[in-house]
């Protein structure tokens, strides 16, 4: 499961309501409930283990996966990997992130881990057999996102 929620979240998000999209339920901006996290000035996205997030369009598609999403010793963590085609710049080597940690792909942008939920705790109405990692994704302004998955992008 992956999904994205654009900049300029509606008031319902601030009230704690999640937006259901075709790909699944989206994450809330974690800074709304965790005062130690910076506000998300990009897209709140979710990536479930064993799924692929595809960013970009045409020949510039990049893929991201999550593994090792879990709570260990009371700390939530996830491993984010960004793959590129042979000859492309960018990508992210497998990087372990804890809540609030960020990693930047110099082509696509910055990913900050906001939350991790373990299986069956996604929400009351939806069971997930795999952990889910929630990120704030702040795209690089020069990177072209798929408008179907990331609506309401600023015009370039």
């Amino acid at each position: 499961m992956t999904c994205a929620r654009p900049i300029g979240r509606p008031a319902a998000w601030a009230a704690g309501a999640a937006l259901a999209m075709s790909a699944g339920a989206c994450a809330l901006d974690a800074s709304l409930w965790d005062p130690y996290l910076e506000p998300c000035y990009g897209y709140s996205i979710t990536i479930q283990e064993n799924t692929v997030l595809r960013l970009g369009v045409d020949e510039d598609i990049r893929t991201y996966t999550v593994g090792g999403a879990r709570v260990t010793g009371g700390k939530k963590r996830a491993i984010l990997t960004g793959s590129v085609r042979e000859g492309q710049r960018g990508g992210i080597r497998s990087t372990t992130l804890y809540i609030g940690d960020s990693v930047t792909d110099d082509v696509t942008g910055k990913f900050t881990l906001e939350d991790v939920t373990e299986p069956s705790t996604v929400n009351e109405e939806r069971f997930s057999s795999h952990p889910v990692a929630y990120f704030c994704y702040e795209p690089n302004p020069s990177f072209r996102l798929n408008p179907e998955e990331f609506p309401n992008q600023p015009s370039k």
Side-chain angles (χ1 to χ4, degrees), residues 82-144:
S83 302
V84 297
R85 294 182 182 142
E86 190 172 325
Q88 286 182 319
R89 289 185 325 109
I92 297 173
R93 292 184 182 204
S94 294
T95 303
T96 300
L97 301 171
Y98 291 88
I99 301 298
D101 289 349
S102 299
V103 63
T104 300
D105 180 322
D106 63 340
V107 172
T108 62
K110 177 177 162 184
F111 296 82
T112 302
L113 184 63
E114 293 186 324
D115 199 11
V116 171
T117 56
E118 294 182 320
S120 77
T121 60
V122 174
N123 66 39
E124 295 79 31
E125 295 124 22
R126 188 176 157 89
F127 176 78
S128 171
S129 59
H130 300 284
V132 177
Y134 300 84
F135 294 91
C136 173
Y137 168 58
E138 298 176 59
N140 181 330
S142 64
F143 185 70
R144 201 166 58 133

